[in-house]
Amino acid sequence: MKLKYIIVVAFCFVSYLCSSQTDHAFKKTRDSLMALPDDSAKVLQMIEFFQTYRESEFIECMKVAQKGLELSSKLKKFKSKARFLNHIGDGYFNMANYEESFKYYYEAYKLSDSIKSPFHLGLSAYNLGWQTAIQQKSYKDVSYLYQALHMGRQLSSDKLILMASNALGSFYTDKYEREKKRSDFDSAVIYFTQTIERNKTLRRFTQAGALYSNMGQLFFFDKDYTTATFYFNK
């Protein structure tokens, strides 16, 4: 027992040291970033910083994003401003503060439209569509997701096409589960299949695997357990 106790204490101490070192490195990186002159290079580095640390240092990254929003607005870097608006919207969405997330997503949407930036317009439309059509189950309004898909096809953007197609598949799966309309089932199959094949072409096999699981769930809702098992196995 004594040896086990020593090993546990040692493990906790090493974990504490590793955590402290990581925290110190993060704060050093953040402080160095914030000390940079207020220019375009700083805006881009703030975006990269947010994307790098948002999973592990969420609260601090939200503070950086707010400062990035202010700076990009001051410098009239409107595409960067749209990115920060979407990032902050994501943050509020993850906190289940959907009123605030919608506000930031919609501001990004309007800004992207005004500056004629199709990619950022498509990304903002995707975010709005995911929240309204899927998270809030507003089945009457799926137009934002279709707009995101349209933007993706116009730009030949794999990112937008894959996100929007998968979201539409999820939308119609959820709608089919609740309303049992065959047209919704067929639509979900079409969008999931298209997304799976595009991921396979791009050799994104992990993403394709997740979509096979989505397809399995759809057939599970249809009580076709043999086909559902087939897709879960894939």
Side-chain angles (χ1 to χ4, degrees), residues 21-217:
Q21 290 170 357
T22 302
D23 187 53
H24 177 73
F26 168 80
K27 289 179 179 178
K28 185 177 180 180
T29 304
R30 179 201 59 196
D31 293 345
S32 297
L33 172 63
M34 301 311 293
L36 292 173
D38 287 349
D39 58 15
S40 299
K42 182 176 182 178
V43 170
L44 293 176
Q45 288 186 48
M46 291 171 89
I47 292 172
E48 184 178 348
F49 178 89
F50 181 90
Q51 293 174 333
T52 300
Y53 292 106
R54 61 182 168 184
E55 297 295 333
S56 59
E57 299 289 346
F58 173 74
I59 294 175
E60 289 300 318
C61 281
M62 285 289 283
K63 293 177 183 177
V64 171
Q66 286 286 357
K67 292 183 182 298
L69 178 62
E70 295 167 9
L71 180 57
S72 57
S73 183
K74 171 186 169 184
L75 297 174
K76 300 187 186 305
K77 306 293 291 184
F78 296 120
K79 288 184 180 180
S80 294
K81 181 178 179 179
R83 293 182 71 175
F84 280 119
L85 286 167
N86 275 310
H87 285 327
I88 294 169
D90 288 341
Y92 281 114
F93 184 89
N94 292 335
M95 289 189 286
N97 188 338
Y98 302 122
E99 184 176 346
E100 282 297 299
S101 64
F102 187 89
K103 183 178 77 174
Y104 280 96
Y105 287 152
Y106 191 65
E107 190 175 345
Y109 179 84
K110 291 190 297 181
L111 175 62
S112 300
D113 188 38
S114 69
I115 63 174
K116 309 298 181 188
S117 177
F119 177 79
H120 294 97
L121 182 64
L123 181 60
S124 303
Y126 165 80
N127 286 333
L128 287 168
W130 185 273
Q131 178 166 329
T132 57
I134 298 175
Q135 192 276 327
Q136 295 178 336
K137 304 185 188 305
S138 178
Y139 295 142
K140 294 181 180 179
D141 187 9
V142 71
S143 58
Y144 284 125
L145 292 179
Y146 278 112
Q147 185 179 14
L149 182 59
H150 176 68
M151 293 286 103
R153 287 172 174 168
Q154 273 195 331
L155 299 169
S156 298
S157 168
D158 287 319
K159 180 177 181 177
L160 280 178
I161 291 172
L162 291 171
M163 289 196 313
S165 296
N166 180 48
L168 283 165
S170 297
F171 168 78
Y172 283 112
T173 296
D174 187 74
K175 194 166 182 285
Y176 176 70
E177 182 192 8
R178 289 169 178 267
E179 299 179 358
K180 299 301 181 190
K181 292 181 180 178
R182 202 65 194 175
S183 59
D184 293 331
F185 176 89
D186 294 340
S187 293
V189 169
I190 289 169
Y191 284 113
F192 281 147
T193 300
Q194 289 176 351
T195 314
I196 287 168
E197 293 307 313
R198 197 175 192 95
N199 271 306
K200 286 164 65 178
T201 299
L202 296 169
R203 302 185 66 79
R204 297 176 177 177
F205 299 117
T206 300
Q207 291 88 336
L211 285 157
Y212 280 130
S213 181
N214 289 349
M215 190 81 91
Q217 185 179 39

